[in-house]
Amino acid sequence: MPAPRKTARRSLLVASATLLTLSAPAPAALAAPASPASSASPTALPPARMSQVGGARLGLPGTQVNLAAGVPVLPKGLTARSWIVSDAESGAVLAAHDAHWPLPPASTLKMLFADTLLPRFPKTTEHKVAPSDLAGMGAGSSVVGIREGRTYSVHDLWLGVFLRSGNDAVHVLSAMNGGVRRTVGDMQDHAEELQALDTHVVSPDGYDAPGQVSSAYDLTLFARSGLQKKDFRDYCSTVTAKFGSAEIRNTNRLLSGDTDVPVYQGIAGVKNGNTTHAGATFTGVAERGGKVLLVTVMNPENHTHNEVYKETAKLFDWGFRAAGKVTPVGELVPPKNAATAAAAGPTPSSSGAARETGGAGAKTVASATAGRGAGGAGTALAVAGGLLVLLAGAGWLVNRRWPLPDLMRRRTRP
């Protein structure tokens, strides 16, 4: 792949109520038995040294959690090589297992693709597909059914990316961005801006490629950043939509349901994946009782049907019970530019924003705009208000556009 290009980076607005600091010495990591995935062979073991971005505990092998009186025990039967449970708003990591282990990401890498490219093309832009646009797709790629010579709107292409994990839609959007080579470089630059340093991008669609890796920690950063964008939230939470003359349905089974997996209460996205080398991967966001959690699960050793969703649901259940009771083991770091702004202190414009919204204590106003659609399926996400608030003592702006109440009202997207 080409060396990442040096480009000017735009500041990102990150949803977070505070920058978590662990000033007290961290207690010893909870010793956890090796999972079947990690004991199967020497190549299945996590690296002896892993990144400590977000906290030293996150670089330790095994399960990291602070069990204490009143904290629920972790669920049994977790077989994933790597997983992480975090508070989407504060960034607190509630528990993790080999969260910085670089592993093949499969189509969950499309979260980084979308977070990188979504702002670049208006939804109404139309593009006629040339044969070269679809060149280079891997054999057996998941597709939404794009045809050469036909014209598609950017809106439809993103529906294909999010609902059907269409590598054909990814390649067309990459062509519009100047090609796969440039898009890979843009994604790598953006990953570095987000401090997702476990990630090495080779293909924009997440298709298995030598050297292409990410981690549960990094995938969570991609989801958290993407969810700042209204279009990202709308697309990743859409259950069904029209694509040409057909109807497509989201392959995220916690969102759309399946015979052995019910729709998860409060789910609002984000992205699933599955390839030969990556196994099943998934990052989800859900809201319950005023708490918004992110869970990422990578490559369960148990290969029963929909296992990645079942283990994710268990971790969500644990996280909602543990939130407010468990001491975090780390944090989701902000982007580099946000951290730089925090160190520099508030700007006149950010101070003005704080005054306009009533200061750091201003409440986020939810504007639940979801309507009813045919069949009662569609968008699982109510858009929260877009107030900018100034963090007390942090010195950088955050955009609290998180799924809040009314998540389960749905509408069909055109």
Side-chain angles (χ1 to χ4, degrees):
M1 66 165 277
R5 297 176 299 106
K6 299 296 183 183
T7 59
R9 297 184 173 102
R10 293 186 292 267
S11 298
L12 299 178
L13 294 174
V14 179
S16 174
T18 184
L19 289 176
L20 178 69
T21 56
L22 300 177
S23 54
L30 173 71
S35 70
S38 63
S39 61
S41 69
T43 58
L45 291 171
R49 291 176 179 269
M50 290 184 284
S51 169
Q52 295 186 1
V53 171
R57 294 280 298 275
L58 300 180
L60 298 176
T63 301
Q64 307 301 318
V65 64
N66 291 318
L67 294 181
V71 177
V73 297
L74 286 168
K76 296 180 180 179
L78 298 176
T79 68
R81 288 190 174 190
S82 177
W83 54 261
I84 186 170
V85 183
S86 57
D87 185 308
E89 293 182 293
S90 73
V93 176
L94 308 184
H97 179 82
D98 293 330
H100 277 297
W101 187 355
L103 294 166
S107 287
T108 45
L109 193 65
K110 288 183 173 79
M111 294 186 294
L112 175 62
F113 172 78
D115 193 38
T116 305
L117 262 63
L118 258 173
R120 301 189 179 184
F121 309 110
K123 284 195 270 188
T124 55
T125 299
E126 293 190 339
H127 177 80
K128 185 176 181 179
V129 178
S132 60
D133 293 351
L134 300 174
M137 284 200 306
S141 286
S142 56
V143 296
V144 70
I146 289 172
R147 299 287 180 263
E148 298 174 7
R150 294 191 182 179
T151 299
Y152 298 86
S153 69
V154 165
H155 171 71
D156 285 344
L157 293 172
W158 283 118
L159 288 173
V161 170
F162 278 93
L163 273 68
R164 298 299 300 172
S165 206
N167 289 4
D168 48 357
V170 169
H171 277 253
V172 172
L173 286 163
S174 296
M176 294 174 65
N177 189 55
V180 167
R181 184 182 180 91
R182 175 180 175 180
T183 300
V184 165
D186 290 347
M187 291 170 65
Q188 191 68 55
D189 285 347
H190 190 44
E192 292 171 9
E193 164 62 22
L194 296 177
Q195 302 198 63
L197 305 183
D198 302 322
T199 297
H200 180 67
V201 184
V202 178
S203 65
D205 49 24
Y207 190 87
D208 287 336
Q212 179 153 274
V213 292
S214 190
S215 66
Y217 184 90
D218 284 7
L219 293 175
T220 303
L221 292 182
F222 301 152
R224 193 180 186 221
S225 177
L227 287 164
Q228 308 317 299
K229 300 173 176 65
K230 182 183 183 301
D231 286 347
F232 187 105
R233 297 194 304 275
D234 285 346
Y235 288 128
C236 80
S237 63
T238 297
V239 181
T240 62
K242 290 291 184 181
F243 189 87
S245 60
E247 182 178 85
I248 56 175
R249 188 172 184 84
N250 202 311
T251 54
N252 170 359
R253 299 309 182 195
L254 290 188
L255 186 72
S256 60
D258 204 353
T259 54
D260 57 342
V261 176
V263 173
Y264 190 81
Q265 180 187 349
I267 194 71
V270 177
K271 190 71 189 74
N272 55 319
N274 198 319
T275 64
T276 301
H277 295 295
T281 60
F282 180 64
T283 297
V285 63
E287 184 273 343
R288 190 179 296 175
K291 287 288 184 181
V292 184
L293 299 184
L294 282 161
V295 172
T296 296
V297 173
M298 300 187 75
N299 198 353
E301 169 70 11
N302 185 340
H303 294 152
T304 57
H305 190 240
N306 286 327
E307 180 65 20
V308 72
Y309 303 110
K310 295 171 184 176
E311 295 193 18
T312 299
K314 289 179 181 179
L315 288 168
F316 267 130
D317 288 345
W318 177 85
F320 286 121
R321 293 195 305 270
K325 301 175 184 176
V326 65
T327 301
V329 296
E331 65 168 338
L332 300 177
V333 294
K336 288 180 181 178
N337 282 349
T340 301
T347 63
S349 60
S350 66
S351 298
R355 285 193 297 271
E356 290 173 8
T357 59
K363 292 184 178 180
T364 299
V365 180
S367 57
T369 57
R372 292 279 179 180
T379 300
L381 179 62
V383 179
L387 293 178
L388 295 177
V389 295
L390 183 63
L391 282 182
W396 56 287
L397 290 174
V398 295
N399 190 355
R400 291 175 57 96
R401 289 180 173 176
W402 290 105
L404 290 171
D406 220 10
L407 282 169
M408 299 312 295
R409 293 180 62 190
R410 299 181 176 185
R411 61 183 171 87
T412 299
R413 290 188 61 84

